[in-house]
Amino acid sequence: MQLQVPALSDGMQIAYGLAAIVVIAFVIARSSKRPNLDAIPTVGSSTWLGSWWASVRFFVKGANIIQGGYEKHKGTPFKVAGLCGWTVIVSGPQFVEDVRKASEDELCFSANEGLDLDHMLGRDMHDNPYHIAIIRSQLTRNLGTLCPDIRDEVVTALEETLDLRGNVWKSVPAFKTAQKVICRTISRISVGLPLCRNPDWTDLNIRFSLNVVTGGLIIGLFPKVLAPLVARFMTGVPASIRRGMKHLGPIIEERRKHLEEYGKDWADKPNDFLSWLMDHPEASDRSIKELTLRMLVVNLAAVHVGLAFQSFTQALYNLAANPQYMQPLREEVELIVEMDGWSMEALAKMHKVDSFLKECQRLEGVTSVSMPRKAMKDFTFSDGTVLPKGTFLATASQATQLDDEVYQNANMFDPFRFANMRDEDGEGGKHLYVSTNPQYLAFGHGKHACPGRFFAANELKTMLAHVVLSYDIKLEDTATRPRSVHVGVYTLAHPTAKVMFRKRVH
């Protein structure tokens, strides 16, 4: 009797075909020439199959794996497995300084490797990031001038988002509230009124930030050879660009007409990022699609890939869980605002507000690693450790910030830790929220430190100061402080937990 083999449906044939491509591509990626890192200790298995399983575990528990490696190999490099290769992790002041001092032709900045921005956003965004220079220059220089706009949008966005009635307590989702207020405030500076208050524009920017981060994680699950297809069909970035063009296209066309007719200066010209971008020589012949993408990326870069969303949500959770810290914050803000109003000078004097935000970020920063680099040639650390050309490395930022030898009672939330340190050693600038050093790497360190951190700090300090002055806040009855969610090296504030607000009762 002849055995009948059932025919595969077209859908099953496609599925099996894709699976075969993935397996073949993965084997090719794993079998290709890689830097020889045998001399560097491994966290997890170093065998071919074992390292693959370790890389899968790293995607789920990356923060814990790096913490364990830091504790076991403290002060010396170790390596962890990713799906397509190894990453060397270093820590300690000397290694951090070695990384900071290295030239670009030795250790090249490679945040792109973590998010695969080349495939999601295009090579031009990586090769010609002229928007970063604008963030460092015009945005930072204009913070004093923009302070009233930032304050106005924070107040208006919080009032509309919370929508409180009388003195009644209302339960609100903390993360979504932070997202809306922060996105509107960033948009007030990037594109101005009225677009910054358009709900669809706000939703687009929120989704774009999440699309880039989740898209990077998804692409990281596949071999590099499949990255272009994955970026195109399995991430939301292309749709976000098309959606953004509907909003920005008419505005860009109108401003170009003004530029052609009046030059770079005309009456009532908006003082926002879109104007600064369009004034840049690189933008003169760019398409609306390219400028739209650049503006979406600017909103992303301004908050260091969602850092502001996460940081302020963590601050809300800590404030609601520790109401005893509300009064000291209020007293500081009230005194300073009475003397200096809402200004850059006033924000600079809010040491406790600054410290509260920095402590939240020290304990639960957005990512477990910082200062990502790629060795462009064989590189030798000051202790003699050699990284072969092509090696990827990063610093163990979160583990360093949770080390009792670096910070006293490092795992305890001490909101005024950095304010007290400023008073004790007299080095105020060293302990600012925006300051970086080998012991505090949440913003990176050196010339590649987050360029938008000064704007982010002003925005977050304005938000926290306004919250403590205008509202009472607490956790829901019987609730405990919401725990963070960990995905790979990322630490995410609990995305659905709620806190309770009411208008302040004096």
Side-chain angles (χ1 to χ4, degrees):
M1 184 174 66
Q2 189 175 9
L3 181 65
Q4 297 293 322
V5 179
L8 293 176
S9 67
D10 291 343
M12 291 183 66
Q13 288 179 359
I14 292 172
Y16 281 123
L18 288 174
I21 292 172
V22 169
V23 171
I24 293 170
F26 179 81
V27 171
I28 292 172
R30 281 275 163 173
S31 303
S32 60
K33 184 176 177 61
R34 298 283 174 180
N36 186 341
L37 300 173
D38 291 345
I40 296 177
T42 303
V43 174
S45 176
S46 59
T47 65
W48 191 92
L49 186 60
S51 65
W52 176 83
W53 177 242
S55 68
V56 174
R57 287 187 63 247
F58 188 80
F59 179 77
V60 179
K61 296 185 176 181
N64 291 339
I65 291 170
I66 290 176
Q67 182 69 40
Y70 177 88
E71 293 171 358
K72 182 177 181 180
H73 302 285
K74 186 175 178 179
T76 59
F78 60 92
K79 64 180 183 288
V80 293
L83 283 174
C84 292
W86 297 99
T87 297
V88 173
I89 306 296
V90 299
S91 62
Q94 190 54 58
F95 282 103
V96 172
E97 283 301 296
D98 288 344
V99 175
R100 184 187 68 82
K101 293 176 181 178
S103 63
E104 285 293 302
D105 62 353
E106 292 176 313
L107 299 179
C108 179
F109 182 67
S110 66
N112 181 45
E113 292 300 320
L115 294 176
D116 220 320
L117 301 183
D118 283 358
H119 295 106
M120 281 190 290
L121 307 179
R123 282 295 305 178
D124 185 61
M125 200 65 60
H126 176 265
D127 293 341
N128 190 17
Y130 60 89
H131 58 281
I132 298 296
I134 300 174
I135 292 174
R136 288 197 176 105
S137 56
Q138 281 100 317
L139 178 58
T140 302
R141 285 202 309 264
N142 278 278
L143 284 178
T145 304
L146 297 171
C147 198
D149 290 337
I150 294 173
R151 159 79 176 160
D152 178 64
E153 202 57 40
V154 164
V155 172
T156 306
L158 274 169
E159 287 178 353
E160 294 179 0
T161 303
L162 294 175
D163 191 26
L164 302 180
R165 296 287 186 266
N167 292 323
V168 178
W169 286 100
K170 180 180 179 181
S171 183
V172 301
F175 184 64
K176 288 186 177 180
T177 299
Q179 278 185 324
K180 288 180 181 179
V181 175
I182 288 168
C183 266
R184 278 184 49 168
T185 308
I186 294 171
S187 292
R188 178 68 176 267
I189 303 309
S190 63
V191 296
L193 289 166
L195 182 56
C196 69
R197 294 180 182 176
N198 183 304
D200 188 68
W201 175 256
T202 299
D203 181 70
L204 166 62
N205 280 279
I206 290 172
R207 291 183 182 276
F208 185 76
S209 298
L210 296 175
N211 284 340
V212 170
V213 174
T214 57
L217 293 173
I218 291 170
I219 292 173
L221 292 173
F222 292 83
K224 287 288 185 183
V225 293
L226 294 180
L229 289 176
V230 176
R232 183 174 180 180
F233 296 109
M234 296 182 67
T235 73
V237 172
S240 292
I241 297 171
R242 292 192 296 270
R243 187 175 167 191
M245 289 172 64
K246 294 178 181 178
H247 291 288
L248 284 183
I251 298 174
I252 292 171
E253 288 176 347
E254 181 182 6
R255 294 195 187 186
R256 276 183 166 167
K257 288 180 181 178
H258 282 79
L259 281 169
E260 291 172 3
E261 187 171 352
Y262 305 111
K264 287 189 176 182
D265 297 309
W266 71 80
D268 300 321
K269 179 180 179 180
N271 184 33
D272 58 28
F273 203 97
L274 181 57
S275 288
W276 307 332
L277 184 71
M278 294 180 67
D279 285 343
H280 196 282
E282 290 283 354
S284 60
D285 59 349
R286 300 281 172 158
S287 68
I288 289 176
K289 179 180 179 180
E290 289 176 295
L291 291 177
T292 297
L293 174 59
R294 192 77 59 163
M295 287 300 297
L296 291 172
V297 171
V298 162
N299 284 358
L300 187 70
V303 291
H304 198 48
V305 195
L307 179 148
F309 299 161
Q310 301 294 332
S311 295
F312 196 71
T313 305
Q314 300 285 19
L316 288 179
Y317 290 152
N318 283 324
L319 191 63
N322 299 279
Q324 69 271 26
Y325 299 127
M326 181 73 84
Q327 191 56 34
L329 289 168
R330 278 178 175 165
E331 290 173 355
E332 177 183 74
V333 174
E334 285 175 337
L335 178 63
I336 292 171
V337 170
E338 184 178 351
M339 294 174 57
D340 298 305
W342 289 94
S343 62
M344 281 277 289
E345 293 75 16
L347 292 174
K349 294 178 181 178
M350 295 180 188
H351 298 173
K352 290 180 180 178
V353 171
D354 189 279
S355 178
F356 193 99
L357 290 166
K358 184 167 185 173
E359 178 71 351
C360 292
Q361 194 163 297
R362 181 192 69 82
L363 275 172
E364 298 189 84
V366 175
T367 177
S368 303
V369 296
S370 187
M371 303 179 73
R373 300 289 191 271
K374 179 180 180 179
M376 307 307 291
K377 59 176 70 170
D378 289 356
F379 179 79
T380 304
F381 282 105
S382 54
D383 75 333
T385 300
V386 177
L387 292 187
K389 178 182 178 180
T391 302
F392 292 102
L393 73 146
T395 58
S397 54
Q398 192 68 25
T400 300
Q401 291 161 195
L402 296 177
D403 188 337
D404 284 330
E405 294 183 8
V406 177
Y407 293 102
Q408 186 176 10
N409 298 319
N411 285 280
M412 182 184 77
F413 177 63
D414 180 1
F416 306 134
R417 178 191 301 271
F418 295 101
N420 294 333
M421 291 168 70
R422 291 172 70 149
D423 294 338
E424 290 169 4
D425 62 22
E427 296 184 47
K430 179 182 178 181
H431 304 298
L432 287 172
Y433 181 41
V434 296
S435 296
T436 68
N437 58 61
Q439 290 76 39
Y440 185 82
L441 297 166
F443 288 115
H445 187 44
K447 64 182 178 181
H448 291 297
C450 173
R453 67 189 187 278
F454 301 99
F455 170 76
N458 276 23
E459 179 187 31
L460 296 179
K461 289 169 74 172
T462 300
M463 290 175 66
L464 182 58
H466 179 68
V467 165
V468 299
L469 276 192
S470 305
Y471 303 101
D472 294 321
I473 179 173
K474 67 178 183 178
L475 294 175
E476 293 182 304
D477 293 341
T478 71
T480 57
R481 191 210 184 281
R483 299 183 64 180
S484 297
V485 178
H486 298 279
V487 181
V489 298
Y490 297 103
T491 299
L492 309 176
H494 197 292
T496 60
K498 295 182 176 181
V499 295
M500 301 193 74
F501 277 84
R502 73 176 178 186
K503 293 181 180 179
R504 180 181 174 185
V505 177
H506 292 271

